[in-house]
Amino acid sequence: MKRLTTVPDNQVQQIELLGKLMLFDKELSVNRNEACAFCHTPETGFTGPVSELNRTTGSYPGSVRTRFSERKPQTHTYAPLAPVLHYNEGQGDLVGGNFWDMRATGRRLGNPAAEQAEGPPVNPTEMGLPDTACSVYRASLRPYRGLFESAWGAQAFAIAWPANVEQVCNTPGPPPSDDPAPVHLSAVDRGRAAATFDQMAQSIAGYEASHEVTAFSSKYDAVLAGKARFTPEEQQGNEIFRGKGRCNECHRDGGPGEDPLFTDFTASNIGTPANPSLPYYSENLPDDRGYIANKDGSGFVDGGVGAFLLNGHPLSQPSAVDARWKPLAAQNRGRFRVPTLRNVDKRPSPDFVKAYGHNGYFKSLREIVHFYNTRDVLPRCAAHDPREGTSCWPAPETTENMNTSKTGHLGLTDQEEDTLVAFMQTLTDGYAPTQK
């Protein structure tokens, strides 16, 4: 909080600073023990920061430590550059949004990253607050309150809080079904709290869009600018990425007038196996507060974008479902948002484990490249097969709408897989060209 003694006089910079302060503020979770940065840190490209959790559970515990979500954390870097979710009639596909299932559509705030930031605070398996108004109340008590009011207006926290607000906001969500907004506010104060919650989310998205997070400072960018050269291995990997490997067909490296963001913002089912290490499969019994996160237990199958389009998300619904898109649900079952490859291998040390795929099944970049190459070539694994991940693969979590045209049988050699990894390692931000 030291930087608050020298507050920027520029509103954009004020908003970015606010976003950073809130991103790292664990007081905004129900048990005051989990900031957004608990799952998104700079050292890993703003995704999962704990090597052992990435290696084992894949997903992360929430503020209530016995609760885990069903997916691995996505990266915050470059997330604000995603377009508002829309239907591209020519492609016959949905494009844009944030979250693995696109549920942060951006259609209400005009910013998917801001709507994404509104999901975790009231997700029972993440920050766990029972009411969005609790986020606003907690922020009103923080040292950055004055900065917030300077950036967004003195009305932001001019709210008459009920006498029991502390008790309510210290109670983990979800709220009772007969009292979905347990912080009891007047209609005017409820509207004011909703507006301030939106501004909190927009501040976080502003920080994510800042150069500190979304920098375009990788070796790849230096090569584009003529300030560096690929090694022969990286160059070959780039050529395979754009050719034989077919990576560029979904993880687009840009085109005329486009920044190279290494995603086409669509969704795909690449046939990722279920991750049996997800604690979510065991969350089918009431916890000590009577909450059941996963009513399907071990039978849970993640429906991805299709499940969101049909029913929303049971734990986190930052954006309303457009009823006109419900007929698209069946063709989107099992599909997940194509992630950016920028910072895909950013890690604090060579032995740090990162997880890949919507459920964190893959434990290295080399492993998921091998899967893309050999999914349909290698045999199915038997139970506890020691060859898993090298010479066999488990069955997909779901074969609904599985991508069979661009992945599964690429015919790459081991050496070509290695060059692809080498190329994708050039997408890590923070590269400093060697001075001659």
Side-chain angles (χ1 to χ4, degrees):
M1 300 298 178
K2 187 176 180 180
R3 286 183 62 189
L4 290 178
T5 60
T6 54
V7 174
D9 59 5
N10 178 282
Q11 186 188 30
V12 171
Q13 293 174 356
Q14 289 175 1
I15 288 171
E16 289 176 3
L17 176 55
L18 271 173
K20 182 175 184 178
L21 292 170
M22 287 187 286
L23 193 82
F24 288 89
D25 189 358
K26 63 184 180 181
E27 294 288 321
L28 300 181
S29 63
V30 66
N31 289 324
R32 296 180 168 87
N33 60 347
E34 181 160 294
C36 300
F38 183 76
C39 296
H40 307 274
T41 55
E43 295 80 10
T44 57
F46 288 89
T47 183
V50 183
S51 181
E52 185 60 15
L53 289 177
N54 297 338
R55 187 186 68 81
T56 54
T57 60
S59 65
Y60 277 59
S63 183
V64 178
R65 294 304 194 208
T66 56
R67 299 177 182 177
F68 287 71
S69 70
E70 78 279 31
R71 297 173 186 152
K72 73 167 284 289
Q74 283 187 294
T75 177
H76 280 172
T77 56
Y78 302 92
L81 302 183
V84 171
L85 187 64
H86 59 281
Y87 182 69
N88 184 313
E89 187 171 338
Q91 285 181 229
D93 213 351
L94 290 166
V95 181
N98 271 191
F99 277 126
W100 285 108
D101 58 9
M102 296 176 161
R103 70 184 185 276
T105 67
R107 296 184 72 198
R108 186 173 66 85
L109 296 178
N111 187 334
E115 291 184 25
Q116 184 279 327
E118 295 189 334
V122 289
N123 186 330
T125 67
E126 296 189 45
M127 298 172 81
L129 291 167
D131 191 323
T132 57
C134 291
S135 286
V136 178
Y137 172 70
R138 293 277 184 89
S140 75
L141 305 177
R142 304 299 290 140
Y144 47 76
R145 172 174 176 155
L147 174 61
F148 197 103
E149 290 170 329
S150 175
W152 291 106
Q155 81 294 331
F157 301 113
I159 296 169
W161 299 106
N164 68 341
V165 65
E166 277 285 350
Q167 178 185 350
V168 171
C169 293
N170 290 340
T171 304
S177 58
D178 61 351
D179 191 13
V183 177
H184 297 155
L185 300 172
S186 69
V188 170
D189 281 342
R190 175 57 64 174
R192 186 168 290 157
T196 302
F197 186 63
D198 284 345
Q199 290 159 352
M200 291 172 67
Q202 288 167 320
S203 299
I204 291 173
Y207 171 60
E208 292 173 358
S210 72
H211 183 265
E212 189 172 323
V213 182
T214 298
F216 294 95
S217 62
S218 68
K219 181 177 182 179
Y220 176 85
D221 296 299
V223 170
L224 290 186
K227 298 176 181 178
R229 291 184 178 180
F230 288 135
T231 66
E233 184 181 31
E234 292 164 352
Q235 179 60 43
Q236 184 185 3
N238 185 26
E239 292 168 0
I240 292 171
F241 185 93
R242 304 198 62 183
K244 184 178 178 181
R246 307 190 67 179
C247 313
N248 192 49
E249 294 181 30
C250 295
H251 296 282
R252 284 180 49 81
D253 61 3
E258 293 182 27
D259 284 322
L261 295 174
F262 292 91
T263 174
D264 63 358
F265 302 106
T266 65
S268 183
N269 176 9
I270 64 169
T272 301
N275 180 3
S277 298
L278 286 176
Y280 188 73
Y281 288 116
S282 301
E283 294 180 61
N284 61 324
L285 298 174
D287 65 11
D288 58 1
R289 299 197 60 83
Y291 174 66
I292 300 174
N294 173 21
K295 293 180 173 59
D296 295 327
S298 59
F300 170 75
V301 175
D302 198 332
V305 176
F308 160 65
L309 294 176
L310 193 61
N311 298 311
H313 189 284
L315 306 180
S316 165
Q317 300 188 42
S319 306
V321 180
D322 189 330
R324 292 168 294 186
W325 289 346
K326 285 197 173 186
L328 304 175
Q331 69 194 60
N332 280 283
R333 285 279 308 174
R335 301 178 79 209
F336 297 89
R337 171 84 138 60
V338 176
T340 178
L341 295 182
R342 283 187 172 271
N343 292 309
V344 69
D345 197 51
K346 187 175 178 64
R347 65 189 67 231
S349 63
D351 61 347
F352 184 93
V353 176
K354 290 189 79 169
Y356 299 90
H358 69 276
N359 58 12
Y361 171 83
F362 304 101
K363 305 304 181 183
S364 73
L365 187 55
R366 180 63 164 75
E367 184 182 20
I368 193 170
V369 167
H370 187 53
F371 177 80
Y372 269 82
N373 183 30
T374 63
R375 181 197 67 198
D376 300 339
V377 178
L378 298 179
R380 290 279 180 256
C381 296
H384 310 295
D385 197 320
R387 303 175 302 156
E388 184 174 339
T390 55
S391 301
C392 70
W393 294 110
E397 179 178 13
T398 176
T399 58
E400 289 184 271
N401 305 302
M402 195 167 75
N403 187 331
T404 57
S405 64
K406 299 176 183 178
T407 187
H409 189 181
L410 300 177
L412 304 178
T413 65
D414 286 348
Q415 186 266 341
E416 288 172 327
E417 287 185 7
D418 289 338
T419 65
L420 270 178
V421 172
F423 167 68
M424 286 188 278
Q425 288 171 334
T426 71
L427 303 179
T428 297
D429 282 332
Y431 173 77
T434 302
Q435 298 295 320
K436 292 186 179 180

